[in-house]
Structures are given as C-alpha cells and as structure tokens.
Amino acid sequence: MKIFGVGMNYLEHNKELEGALYITEEPVIFTKADSALLKDGKPFFIPEFTKQCDYETELVIRICRLGRSIAPRWAHRYYDQVTVGIDFTARDLQRKLRASGHPWELCKGFDGSAVIGEMVPLAELGDVQDLHFHLDINGETVQRGHTADMLHRVDEIVAYVSRFFMLKMGDLIFTGTPSGVGPVKEDDHLEGYLEGRKVLDFNVR
C-alpha cells in the first residue's frame, strides 16, 4: 500500500503558510511510509522530535483498481471510497527542511502521521468535487473544507500520480488541506465529519 499527499491544493491554506496566494501549475506530491497509517480510532502520539505538530484535515480517496498513466477522463473509475483524514505535519521541522531545500518526508511521513477515518462509498455521497468536511477539536470546529475549492481536482491528481507510480487497490491519496491548520496537544479529542457524518474520532497522547 502506498500513501500519497498533495501539498498546497487550497488557495487560502497557501496564503496561511506562505503569506501570499500561490497556485502550482502541477500538483505538489509527497509520499508517506506505510507505517504512517493510523486508523480504527487508535490514539496519535506526538513525536518527541517536534514542538509544533499541526493537524491538516483532508479528503482522502481510496484507489480501487490497478492503473498506470490514467487519462483524466477515466480517473473517476479508479477510486470508490472516501473519508476524512489528518495529515499530521511537524511544522517546525518542515520549516527547517524547506529552508534547506530538503524533501518533506521527515516532517510529513513519520509513523502515525496519516490518520484516516471510516471509509464511505462515494456512491452514497455524490460528486467528489462537491463534498464538505470539517474537523472538531474538543467539541469546537477548527477547520472546514469544500472540495470545490481545490486547485487541482481529484481526477487530475489521480491521473498525475499515475504517470509516476502504478496505482494499486488500497492506495490512499490525501488531497490537500484548506485553511485553518494548527497544532495539537496532549489529550485533544479530534472528530472529523464528511457531509455531516462523523467518520473520524481519536485522541492525542
């Protein structure tokens, strides 16, 4: 199983991090190790190597068939389930890596950094580019997203990733986060919602 992430896929989040609106010509892709996957409501443990571990709430899609060099017009056939996930980021480490021009794997792909909720058949939800999701921490909504606001649409992302990697059943793609990211702390309780349905529920340790 492979885990892919998409960076800078919502304008307001780009402004949040960069201080300016920034549109990438092609999707910014990074990977996470398979040991990054955290599911079934298991707790997330803040790593000792970071003093600022940020949540990034995202729509996650699950690949359902084998594919390589997929045309964008057929990309919708290659995923069938979605959920809300958290792309945890060691933000202080990310700043250091970016300043040095180094890859993001250490700040993005560490163990437990790819949290996913309960998968929902896309057929139950409708258009993947018209889905609302949000994250609550300790009962308060801290982040909201609407997939219509993506800079690079889901089908475009699937097609682009498939140019470089063979996509296989069970692979996951985190499609990017909207504005509103922030740090977590011990004993935080995170709940993620997709079209009003709670699909994600876990604690921070």
Side-chain angles (χ1 to χ4, degrees):
M1 183 203 66
K2 299 182 292 297
I3 304 172
F4 300 97
V6 182
M8 298 181 288
N9 202 27
Y10 287 81
L11 272 179
E12 290 303 315
H13 174 60
N14 299 350
K15 182 178 180 180
E16 184 176 55
L17 294 185
E18 304 291 336
L21 296 179
Y22 180 62
I23 301 175
T24 59
E25 293 184 7
E26 296 178 324
V28 175
I29 304 298
F30 59 91
T31 61
K32 289 176 175 273
D34 57 4
S35 60
L37 185 64
L38 187 67
K39 59 181 182 177
D40 301 326
K42 294 179 180 177
F44 170 73
F45 291 86
I46 299 175
E48 61 181 13
F49 56 76
T50 179
K51 296 186 181 303
Q52 183 184 348
C53 191
D54 282 3
Y55 59 83
E56 297 189 8
T57 313
E58 313 196 3
L59 182 82
V60 181
I61 66 168
R62 178 188 179 276
I63 299 299
C64 62
R65 59 193 296 187
L66 192 70
R68 177 73 188 273
S69 298
I70 301 165
R73 68 181 181 277
W74 304 123
H76 66 279
R77 298 181 175 182
Y78 288 82
Y79 56 94
D80 62 350
Q81 297 183 59
V82 297
T83 191
V84 172
I86 305 294
D87 167 23
F88 276 116
T89 303
R91 191 70 68 197
D92 48 354
L93 180 56
Q94 185 185 43
R95 294 190 189 101
K96 179 179 178 181
L97 293 171
R98 293 179 72 171
S100 303
H102 292 164
W104 291 2
E105 275 73 13
L106 294 181
C107 68
K108 286 281 195 178
F110 56 87
D111 291 353
S113 63
V115 186
I116 61 169
E118 173 192 354
M119 285 289 173
V120 180
L122 188 56
E124 296 181 9
L125 297 170
D127 185 357
V128 73
Q129 295 301 157
D130 188 24
L131 298 178
H132 296 83
F133 58 95
H134 71 271
L135 175 70
D136 288 359
I137 297 183
N138 303 326
E140 179 181 352
T141 299
V142 296
Q143 194 173 19
R144 292 185 180 275
H146 183 201
T147 57
D149 296 330
M150 288 181 178
L151 297 175
H152 301 287
R153 297 167 65 86
V154 173
D155 288 356
E156 178 188 351
I157 293 166
V158 171
Y160 184 77
V161 171
S162 75
R163 290 172 53 190
F164 306 94
F165 300 91
M166 175 74 75
L167 294 178
K168 298 182 178 181
M169 183 180 297
D171 288 348
L172 300 172
I173 301 180
F174 284 67
T175 58
T177 192
S179 61
V181 303
V184 292
K185 63 183 185 304
E186 290 185 11
D187 297 324
D188 277 347
H189 180 206
L190 278 65
E191 298 170 290
Y193 295 80
L194 178 59
E195 288 296 311
R197 180 189 309 195
K198 184 161 74 170
V199 295
L200 183 67
D201 190 333
F202 68 100
N203 295 300
V204 177
R205 300 297 186 221

